Amino acid sequence: MFSSPGKPRPHYRVLRDHLQTMTAEMFAERRRVADAAFLYQGITFTVYGQEQGIERIFPFDLVPRIIPRAEWSHIEQGVAQRVQALNLFLHDIYHDQRILREKLIPPELVFSSRHFRREMMGLNVPKDRYVHVVGTDIVRSDDGQYYVLEDNLRSPSGVSYMLENRQVMKRTFADLFGRYDVQPIEHYPQELLNTLRSVAPHEYSDATVVLLTPGIFNSAYFEHTFLARQMGIEIVEGRDLVAHQNKIYMRTTRGLKLVDVIYRRVDDDYLDPLNFRQDSALGVAGLLNAYRAGNVTIANAIGTGVADDKAVYAFTPQMIKFYLGQEPILNNVPTYLGWREKECDHILNNLDKLVVKAVNESGGYGMLVGPHASRDDREKFKEQVRASPRNYIAQPTLALSRHPTLLEDGLSGCHVDLRPYILYGDDVVVVPGGLTRVALRKGSLVVNSSQGGGSKDTWVLRD
């Protein structure tokens, strides 16, 4: 918010002035109204491994993040460029593997990825689209530049909170919201539905789209029900679908109904017990055969997780240059690969300065923030990295931007990141906004909701 102590950036002046007119009691009252709205609408998430119940209200901070148009345009172009390159990478590694033969990415790094699916080799997907929905995590460093932390290509979550945050802010801060020219985000569900229909296996104008969920015990179940309701499509579990003659049908009270597109929120391993995990009760037996026959589209495609691997992420700039012939608009955070011997030594010798991540984990799990970790935790991670160096990367601890956030003892600067959502069907669509995640513990760099983080509304201005 501030360019220097006491000096707000131009687009934050109205917000700063507004906050200065509010007493602590006024702010507390707005917060109670917002919390009640989240509670009554059931805006929740699940923290695995805790015993306080299945669901928890998603923490929300009332001080919005504001992004001027020029900064947003830079982000928008950068994430669109990345998604196109990542999509071309996925098509390439499941077909000609040119980038591997050119030795721009080590083949063994790709083939050793847990999410590389040999079942996808030579399989053509509608319009060559593998990634239809992406959430890219971005941070702004103290040099004023935006850096990409990671691209979430498997089942990026959080977009429902982006939409609900906006509704709550409109109700609780209607006067302030009206003083800014904020770009709308409410059309996201329709854009998502348009994207899913655009990749239907046949040119049906009324393609049947369903959302496949693991069920009520999944951490993002609220989001699954929310998105299905907003798009006006059915939410189904594996037991609601059946494969017959290489086609997928949904069980309804009127009989079986052909399904054209499955927006799955189920991991690859659980999609089809005939071809992946045999003990899965979440998927549909025969789904992969229907997919191979071209009778159903799965979004995102099976096997996209290989581009979600945090070690493969390090090569995204090379992908952009190789496939698009362009310079990356958004930079990666410098990344050390445990897979490379010298870089692994650097990781092991500098654990107190680095953020170390397991390449296939998400949600803040499998991560060590070295400067804030205990000696015992660093020693444990050192052993884990030594035992399986391929499965770890490390990045320097960036001086992440902070944003005023209301904590128990008043406003405080807390670290934030930004997850814009990118859709890729006929064209790339980036809804102007995203989920700003905030670390709600003072000094913490971890913004994941499962690790004590919360969120803010993100206002992208027209001018």
Side-chain angles (χ1 to χ4, degrees):
M1 177 184 283
F2 297 98
S3 57
S4 59
K7 290 188 176 180
R9 299 171 70 194
H11 51 283
Y12 272 109
R13 285 176 188 153
V14 171
L15 173 60
R16 191 276 310 266
D17 293 345
H18 191 87
L19 293 178
Q20 286 183 333
T21 65
M22 297 182 68
T23 64
E25 290 73 21
M26 292 167 66
F27 214 98
E29 177 58 25
R30 302 284 179 96
R31 185 167 182 164
R32 279 193 291 273
V33 171
D35 288 346
F38 278 89
L39 178 63
Y40 292 140
Q41 293 179 54
I43 303 169
T44 60
F45 72 107
T46 301
V47 178
Y48 295 125
Q50 295 198 0
E51 299 177 352
Q52 295 93 327
I54 295 173
E55 296 176 318
R56 175 182 293 181
I57 301 300
F58 196 80
F60 174 67
D61 183 70
L62 286 171
V63 184
R65 180 183 196 167
I66 303 174
I67 300 177
R69 180 178 177 177
E71 281 186 26
W72 174 253
S73 294
H74 181 71
I75 294 171
E76 184 181 37
Q77 292 169 26
V79 295
Q81 180 191 55
R82 292 180 73 89
V83 167
Q84 291 175 74
L86 289 166
N87 191 75
L88 290 167
F89 167 71
L90 287 163
H91 181 272
D92 188 22
I93 63 166
Y94 289 123
H95 288 82
D96 299 334
Q97 301 183 342
R98 288 190 303 123
I99 199 166
L100 305 184
R101 286 189 278 109
E102 295 281 341
K103 301 188 185 305
L104 294 176
I105 298 179
E108 55 270 37
L109 190 70
V110 173
F111 298 145
S112 63
S113 173
R114 195 175 83 190
H115 300 292
F116 178 77
R117 296 291 177 186
R118 284 168 176 76
E119 297 86 349
M120 290 294 292
M121 289 300 300
L123 195 155
N124 294 318
V125 298
K127 299 184 179 178
D128 291 336
R129 297 287 187 270
Y130 288 79
V131 285
H132 313 94
V133 186
V134 179
T136 296
D137 293 342
I138 297 172
V139 294
R140 188 169 182 269
S141 187
D142 57 352
D143 61 5
Q145 299 297 311
Y146 286 96
Y147 293 86
V148 174
L149 274 178
E150 59 188 50
D151 304 283
N152 299 282
L153 279 73
R154 283 172 287 171
S155 295
S157 62
V159 73
S160 59
Y161 304 118
M162 174 188 83
L163 296 167
E164 288 291 353
N165 288 351
R166 176 61 52 84
Q167 293 305 313
V168 170
M169 282 301 291
K170 280 184 172 179
R171 285 196 290 273
T172 55
F173 276 93
D175 46 352
L176 174 64
F177 191 85
R179 296 176 66 185
Y180 278 98
D181 192 4
V182 182
Q183 295 196 51
I185 57 173
E186 290 79 3
H187 57 294
Y188 176 86
Q190 187 59 52
E191 294 286 0
L192 174 58
L193 183 58
N194 293 343
T195 297
L196 296 171
R197 282 182 168 157
S198 73
V199 291
H202 308 290
E203 296 297 327
Y204 298 150
S205 59
D206 58 346
T208 298
V209 181
V210 298
L211 189 153
L212 177 63
T213 176
I216 191 171
F217 294 105
N218 185 266
S219 64
Y221 185 69
F222 161 76
E223 177 155 296
H224 302 167
T225 59
F226 176 90
L227 287 176
R229 186 170 64 248
Q230 293 290 314
M231 287 190 284
I233 65 172
E234 298 291 338
I235 182 171
V236 297
E237 298 183 27
R239 60 192 175 187
D240 299 317
L241 301 177
V242 60
H244 179 62
Q245 294 185 339
N246 287 340
K247 294 183 179 178
I248 301 298
Y249 295 88
M250 171 173 51
R251 293 185 172 95
T252 76
T253 55
R254 296 182 178 179
L256 297 180
K257 182 176 183 180
L258 184 68
V259 172
D260 302 300
V261 182
I262 298 175
Y263 177 37
R264 55 78 173 252
R265 301 296 292 262
V266 174
D267 291 341
D268 287 353
D269 284 343
Y270 300 93
L271 276 177
D272 183 348
L274 291 183
N275 288 281
F276 302 116
R277 284 188 56 151
Q278 296 180 359
D279 60 345
S280 172
L282 304 177
V284 187
L287 177 58
L288 182 59
N289 288 340
Y291 191 44
R292 283 180 174 142
N295 291 325
V296 67
T297 298
I298 299 175
N300 289 340
I302 295 172
T304 51
V306 64
D308 202 329
D309 184 308
K310 291 179 176 61
V312 175
Y313 145 91
F315 294 89
T316 307
Q318 287 92 320
M319 296 178 201
I320 293 171
K321 294 174 185 174
F322 182 71
Y323 295 116
L324 303 178
Q326 301 171 2
E327 290 297 318
I329 296 171
L330 293 172
N331 291 318
N332 275 13
V333 176
T335 301
Y336 301 100
L337 302 179
W339 174 72
R340 289 173 170 155
E341 189 173 343
K342 285 186 179 178
E343 294 180 27
C344 187
D345 289 342
H346 180 80
I347 294 171
L348 293 172
N349 293 326
N350 294 277
L351 278 180
D352 59 332
K353 306 180 185 69
L354 298 170
V355 176
V356 185
K357 300 176 180 177
V359 299
N360 291 307
E361 296 288 351
S362 59
Y365 295 100
M367 184 167 74
L368 176 85
V369 182
H372 298 172
S374 66
R375 181 186 295 271
D376 285 348
D377 286 342
R378 287 200 291 267
E379 287 301 317
K380 286 179 186 174
F381 251 74
K382 189 174 286 188
E383 292 306 313
Q384 292 174 18
V385 173
R386 281 181 177 143
S388 183
R390 163 66 177 83
N391 290 324
Y392 288 91
I393 65 161
Q395 296 169 330
T397 310
L398 297 181
L400 305 185
S401 62
R402 298 185 301 166
H403 198 285
T405 301
L406 186 64
L407 302 181
E408 293 280 333
D409 54 353
L411 288 171
S412 182
C414 294
H415 294 294
V416 295
D417 76 355
L418 174 66
R419 177 179 290 182
Y421 294 91
I422 307 102
L423 302 172
Y424 195 15
D426 286 330
D427 300 298
V428 177
V429 176
V430 189
V431 172
L435 185 69
T436 289
R437 302 185 299 175
V438 54
L440 293 177
R441 286 197 285 263
K442 273 188 179 177
S444 173
L445 295 172
V446 184
V447 298
N448 305 83
S449 56
S450 54
Q451 310 294 323
S455 71
K456 294 172 168 289
D457 194 11
T458 308
W459 294 0
V460 174
L461 305 182
R462 290 186 198 277
D463 296 309

mmCIF file of all heavy atoms in Angstrom, residues 19 27 61 63 404-407 409-413 442:
data_model
loop_
_atom_site.group_PDB
_atom_site.id
_atom_site.type_symbol
_atom_site.label_atom_id
_atom_site.label_comp_id
_atom_site.label_asym_id
_atom_site.label_seq_id
_atom_site.Cartn_x
_atom_site.Cartn_y
_atom_site.Cartn_z
ATOM 1 N N LEU A 19 -9.955 4.362 5.634
ATOM 2 C CA LEU A 19 -9.633 3.616 6.852
ATOM 3 C C LEU A 19 -9.376 4.555 8.027
ATOM 4 O O LEU A 19 -9.704 4.245 9.177
ATOM 5 C CB LEU A 19 -8.411 2.719 6.614
ATOM 6 C CG LEU A 19 -8.596 1.564 5.626
ATOM 7 C CD1 LEU A 19 -7.285 0.800 5.446
ATOM 8 C CD2 LEU A 19 -9.694 0.611 6.092
ATOM 9 N N PHE A 27 -14.800 -0.823 12.539
ATOM 10 C CA PHE A 27 -14.138 -1.874 11.777
ATOM 11 C C PHE A 27 -14.542 -3.254 12.301
ATOM 12 O O PHE A 27 -14.790 -4.191 11.529
ATOM 13 C CB PHE A 27 -12.616 -1.697 11.873
ATOM 14 C CG PHE A 27 -11.896 -2.094 10.627
ATOM 15 C CD1 PHE A 27 -11.518 -1.139 9.692
ATOM 16 C CD2 PHE A 27 -11.612 -3.418 10.354
ATOM 17 C CE1 PHE A 27 -10.869 -1.505 8.531
ATOM 18 C CE2 PHE A 27 -10.965 -3.792 9.196
ATOM 19 C CZ PHE A 27 -10.581 -2.828 8.278
ATOM 20 N N ASP A 61 -9.808 -11.203 5.167
ATOM 21 C CA ASP A 61 -9.390 -9.897 5.667
ATOM 22 C C ASP A 61 -10.092 -8.801 4.875
ATOM 23 O O ASP A 61 -10.193 -8.874 3.646
ATOM 24 C CB ASP A 61 -7.872 -9.735 5.542
ATOM 25 C CG ASP A 61 -7.429 -8.419 6.120
ATOM 26 O OD1 ASP A 61 -7.489 -8.276 7.362
ATOM 27 O OD2 ASP A 61 -7.062 -7.518 5.344
ATOM 28 N N VAL A 63 -9.313 -5.625 4.335
ATOM 29 C CA VAL A 63 -8.561 -4.575 3.632
ATOM 30 C C VAL A 63 -8.214 -5.086 2.236
ATOM 31 O O VAL A 63 -7.393 -6.000 2.098
ATOM 32 C CB VAL A 63 -7.288 -4.197 4.399
ATOM 33 C CG1 VAL A 63 -6.582 -3.039 3.705
ATOM 34 C CG2 VAL A 63 -7.615 -3.852 5.851
ATOM 35 N N PRO A 404 -1.345 -4.169 4.430
ATOM 36 C CA PRO A 404 -2.037 -3.975 5.706
ATOM 37 C C PRO A 404 -3.167 -4.990 5.869
ATOM 38 O O PRO A 404 -3.984 -5.182 4.973
ATOM 39 C CB PRO A 404 -2.578 -2.549 5.598
ATOM 40 C CG PRO A 404 -1.675 -1.872 4.639
ATOM 41 C CD PRO A 404 -1.294 -2.938 3.643
ATOM 42 N N THR A 405 -3.176 -5.612 7.025
ATOM 43 C CA THR A 405 -4.141 -6.674 7.322
ATOM 44 C C THR A 405 -4.581 -6.524 8.771
ATOM 45 O O THR A 405 -3.769 -6.206 9.643
ATOM 46 C CB THR A 405 -3.474 -8.052 7.111
ATOM 47 O OG1 THR A 405 -3.033 -8.137 5.750
ATOM 48 C CG2 THR A 405 -4.441 -9.189 7.401
ATOM 49 N N LEU A 406 -5.862 -6.743 9.019
ATOM 50 C CA LEU A 406 -6.380 -6.593 10.378
ATOM 51 C C LEU A 406 -6.128 -7.862 11.186
ATOM 52 O O LEU A 406 -6.699 -8.908 10.912
ATOM 53 C CB LEU A 406 -7.881 -6.296 10.343
ATOM 54 C CG LEU A 406 -8.493 -5.990 11.713
ATOM 55 C CD1 LEU A 406 -7.895 -4.706 12.288
ATOM 56 C CD2 LEU A 406 -10.009 -5.880 11.623
ATOM 57 N N LEU A 407 -5.270 -7.740 12.221
ATOM 58 C CA LEU A 407 -5.017 -8.838 13.140
ATOM 59 C C LEU A 407 -5.630 -8.502 14.493
ATOM 60 O O LEU A 407 -6.299 -7.468 14.643
ATOM 61 C CB LEU A 407 -3.511 -9.091 13.261
ATOM 62 C CG LEU A 407 -2.779 -9.426 11.946
ATOM 63 C CD1 LEU A 407 -1.297 -9.669 12.211
ATOM 64 C CD2 LEU A 407 -3.402 -10.629 11.270
ATOM 65 N N ASP A 409 -4.425 -7.323 17.190
ATOM 66 C CA ASP A 409 -3.981 -6.070 17.796
ATOM 67 C C ASP A 409 -3.973 -4.897 16.812
ATOM 68 O O ASP A 409 -3.247 -3.935 17.002
ATOM 69 C CB ASP A 409 -2.589 -6.258 18.398
ATOM 70 C CG ASP A 409 -1.596 -6.811 17.370
ATOM 71 O OD1 ASP A 409 -2.034 -7.161 16.262
ATOM 72 O OD2 ASP A 409 -0.397 -6.876 17.680
ATOM 73 N N GLY A 410 -4.770 -4.987 15.767
ATOM 74 C CA GLY A 410 -4.874 -3.869 14.829
ATOM 75 C C GLY A 410 -4.262 -4.180 13.481
ATOM 76 O O GLY A 410 -3.919 -5.334 13.183
ATOM 77 N N LEU A 411 -4.119 -3.145 12.649
ATOM 78 C CA LEU A 411 -3.579 -3.340 11.307
ATOM 79 C C LEU A 411 -2.091 -3.650 11.364
ATOM 80 O O LEU A 411 -1.339 -3.013 12.124
ATOM 81 C CB LEU A 411 -3.818 -2.091 10.458
ATOM 82 C CG LEU A 411 -5.272 -1.831 10.021
ATOM 83 C CD1 LEU A 411 -5.398 -0.461 9.377
ATOM 84 C CD2 LEU A 411 -5.743 -2.929 9.056
ATOM 85 N N SER A 412 -1.678 -4.609 10.546
ATOM 86 C CA SER A 412 -0.274 -4.984 10.513
ATOM 87 C C SER A 412 0.091 -5.404 9.092
ATOM 88 O O SER A 412 -0.757 -5.897 8.344
ATOM 89 C CB SER A 412 -0.037 -6.150 11.481
ATOM 90 O OG SER A 412 1.329 -6.504 11.502
ATOM 91 N N GLY A 413 1.342 -5.205 8.695
ATOM 92 C CA GLY A 413 1.778 -5.602 7.358
ATOM 93 C C GLY A 413 2.025 -7.102 7.299
ATOM 94 O O GLY A 413 2.887 -7.606 8.010
ATOM 95 N N LYS A 442 1.941 -13.086 12.161
ATOM 96 C CA LYS A 442 2.964 -12.056 11.975
ATOM 97 C C LYS A 442 4.308 -12.668 11.593
ATOM 98 O O LYS A 442 4.790 -13.593 12.248
ATOM 99 C CB LYS A 442 3.137 -11.243 13.263
ATOM 100 C CG LYS A 442 2.182 -10.076 13.377
ATOM 101 C CD LYS A 442 2.523 -9.200 14.555
ATOM 102 C CE LYS A 442 1.556 -8.026 14.628
ATOM 103 N NZ LYS A 442 1.809 -7.172 15.802
#
